[in-house]
Amino acid sequence: MKPDLRHLLHLYYQESLTQQQIAQTLQTKQYTVSRRLTKARETLLKTLVQWSQTMANAPLTADTLQQISLLLEEWLKSQVHQPHH
């Protein structure tokens, strides 16, 4: 993942900044932050899907994709409570 997207995820999930706060910090628009967060999550989701297909050697269903997406979001949110390094 590109460093700028990783930084964006860090600000949003680990620093708990709002999209508006991130936009101010990065001197950009809130809608740009929203789109980039979506892209970052999609990148992670695609990577997880590719990994799961390789490991499970099974076709991907819409339900499986939905479950992976929900689990990814839960995992990202749980990172807020992790100590900062």
Side-chain angles (χ1 to χ4, degrees):
M1 177 178 289
K2 293 181 179 181
D4 61 325
L5 293 180
R6 272 194 306 242
H7 181 64
L8 192 63
L9 289 172
H10 172 81
L11 292 173
Y12 188 73
Y13 288 103
Q14 290 190 312
E15 300 296 328
S16 300
L17 297 181
T18 65
Q19 290 182 11
Q20 187 61 42
Q21 290 169 321
I22 295 169
Q24 290 171 348
T25 300
L26 301 179
Q27 298 179 343
T28 190
K29 303 285 185 195
Q30 180 275 326
Y31 64 82
T32 301
V33 171
S34 178
R35 289 179 184 153
R36 290 177 64 210
L37 278 169
T38 297
K39 181 177 180 164
R41 286 188 292 258
E42 285 175 354
T43 299
L44 286 172
L45 182 58
K46 285 177 185 177
T47 301
L48 282 171
V49 166
Q50 289 172 348
W51 176 83
S52 68
Q53 285 182 305
T54 300
M55 297 305 288
N57 199 20
L60 183 67
T61 66
D63 288 340
T64 303
L65 181 60
Q66 178 73 19
Q67 286 296 325
I68 292 171
S69 180
L70 291 172
L71 289 169
L72 174 61
E73 188 67 21
E74 286 178 22
W75 180 81
L76 286 167
K77 288 178 181 176
S78 74
Q79 296 306 298
V80 171
H81 304 294
Q82 298 297 319
H84 300 284
H85 298 285

